[in-house]
Amino acid sequence: MAEPPRSCDCFVSLPPGSKENYVIFGKNSDRPRDEVQEVVFYPASSHAPGSTVECTYISIPQAEHTHAVVLSRPAWLWGAEMGANERGVCIGNEAVWTKEPVDPEEALLGMDLVRLGLERGDSAWAALNVITGLLEQHGQGGACRETPEPFSYHNTFLLVDRQEAWVLETAGKLWAAQKVTEGVKNISNQLTIGSEISAEHPALRAVAQAQGWWSGDGDFSFSAVFSPDNPPARMEMAKRRYMGGTALLQQHNGSVTAEVMMSILRDKASGICMDSEGFCTTGSMVSILPLNPDVPCVHFFTATPDPSRSVFKPFIFSEHVRPVSMVMSPQYGPDDPVRTQPRFQQQVDRRHQLYRAHQTALTSPDAGVSLQETMRYLESQCLEEIEAMLRGEIQGQELGDLFFDCVDTEIKFYQ
């Protein structure tokens, strides 16, 4: 591994941590600075028995039914950094390092597992079982960024639905999970599950004991046993970011809203909103999951870098979701450098229309500030209307057009 990734942060607030009777999910995706993140929607689908699905590097058996999903993902790969499905499940992942070696062979990326969990899981627990089952069967591995240099890692996941959240931490094909039913929780680029393990790989403790990592006596702490003895410097730096995120959540514990979650994702002092050297926050997501199943979930995406200068736009699943090509990157088919062997021998332009408009606006500092203020005002107005709709105070508009209309408005402002 040439350089450890400086990856991401995930957050969740469950009542009574939330101000309203909602579960609030949030994630920043910290990736290589020039990487484009797109937002894509895939409708629910049925698949013929025995069919396969081609993930980023390998093909695996396809499920007979897949849920509708909305994904925020690096434009070059099949999976996703974060996303949601029509059943009110949200998932985000983080890079971690463990005592288990990273498999150099191509397998499923952690980002592939995010998408597979969303497509196949109708609850956070069901999605966790999808991910762990596929992990045990196919493993995790392969290049995690669009460069020919080796760059791989293990993954942790935050899986959330209307009722609960699960932290899933992995080490190769091994894993441990912790259930969260109330209050606030965040994860970053480190193992955090101690002895409060709610579910685990059946061979987890036996492997740890056989490797000499655990004596077999006393409490078993997943993080203590599987964290590397000599973690890379950036993993140590991630601890400070993790503690900063925890402090921000605790500061708002009992009053977390979507707006509060957005402010946490925009926080630069903690490092959560990353902008350093070769890495930055390339995409952000916040979701509102009402406990009442009759009230729709609302998922906000930036589709552009740095949430401190991007705006969140709402997406709601409905029967008539309009595709939003303005946040979808160009497709290169079999000639894509990801598909040709050897991989990543050249770069292609993956910028989508909103990304281009956003970057152009930033080249004019004065105009950029003015546009940012205007867009942030529109974002606040949108949040107020969404909250009123969720409380039943106003009727929602055609929900399938909501994300499209907001992206279209943003592009027109930048132009």
Side-chain angles (χ1 to χ4, degrees), residues 15-16 25 48 55 85 206 235 402 413:
F25 170 84
C55 302
N85 70 19
M235 187 173 179
L402 191 57
F413 264 99

Side-chain angles (χ1 to χ4, degrees), residues 361-373:
L362 293 176
T363 60
S364 175
D366 293 338
V369 170
S370 176
L371 287 169
Q372 181 178 329
E373 290 175 351

Side-chain angles (χ1 to χ4, degrees), residues 173-195:
K173 293 186 177 183
L174 302 173
W175 58 272
Q178 181 182 25
K179 185 178 181 180
V180 181
T181 57
E182 63 179 17
V184 294
K185 174 68 177 177
N186 63 308
I187 64 172
S188 192
N189 305 117
Q190 58 193 292
L191 302 180
T192 62
I193 297 176
S195 59

Side-chain angles (χ1 to χ4, degrees), residues 192-251:
T192 62
I193 297 176
S195 59
E196 297 179 355
I197 298 174
S198 307
E200 65 186 70
H201 187 288
L204 180 69
R205 303 185 190 212
V207 170
Q209 196 165 1
Q211 292 286 352
W213 300 335
W214 180 54
S215 67
D217 298 325
D219 290 338
F220 177 86
S221 166
F222 182 73
S223 59
V225 170
F226 279 90
S227 292
D229 293 325
N230 297 300
R234 291 191 180 93
M235 187 173 179
E236 291 299 301
M237 293 171 62
K239 288 183 179 180
R240 294 196 294 271
R241 200 173 70 242
Y242 168 74
M243 290 187 291
T246 300
L248 287 168
L249 278 178
Q250 289 298 332
Q251 177 183 333

Side-chain angles (χ1 to χ4, degrees), residues 138 211 221 223 242 247 255 269 292 295 297 308 345 371 380 402 413:
H138 302 286
Q211 292 286 352
S221 166
S223 59
Y242 168 74
S255 60
N292 183 350
V295 179
C297 299
S308 71
Q345 296 304 298
L371 287 169
S380 66
L402 191 57
F413 264 99

